[in-house]
Amino acid sequence: MLDVLCFAMARLTDCDKVDYPTIDWDDLASNFDGIATSQDSDVSAIRKIEKGIESVYKKSLKIIDQ
């Protein structure tokens, strides 16, 4: 299901303008997988993954807002 979300976000932000930030959708999918497979006790790893997801989200918003 998360791969569908990544694909939809990629299509939303698909644009030919070169000044848009680059988004690596494979990284986003990997981050989702990392959360799904992480142990609850590995809080620092989960926080790092969440920051990666947040970064992609912010880049996506910049593209959509333009």
Side-chain angles (χ1 to χ4, degrees):
M1 184 66 177
L2 291 175
D3 58 337
V4 174
L5 173 65
C6 290
F7 180 74
M9 289 176 67
R11 290 197 63 201
L12 257 175
T13 57
D14 186 24
C15 184
D16 293 336
K17 292 187 177 180
V18 293
D19 59 337
Y20 283 176
T22 304
I23 298 174
D24 188 339
W25 297 105
D26 291 331
D27 279 349
L28 181 61
S30 295
N31 284 332
F32 287 140
D33 287 342
I35 286 178
T37 60
S38 66
Q39 301 295 321
D40 290 339
S41 60
D42 200 359
V43 176
S44 63
I46 293 171
R47 296 281 183 250
K48 184 177 178 183
I49 293 169
E50 288 174 343
K51 287 184 182 196
I53 292 171
E54 181 181 4
S55 174
V56 171
Y57 177 73
K58 287 180 180 180
K59 287 179 184 179
S60 301
L61 283 179
K62 285 180 185 178
I63 294 170
I64 292 168
D65 286 343
Q66 291 180 0

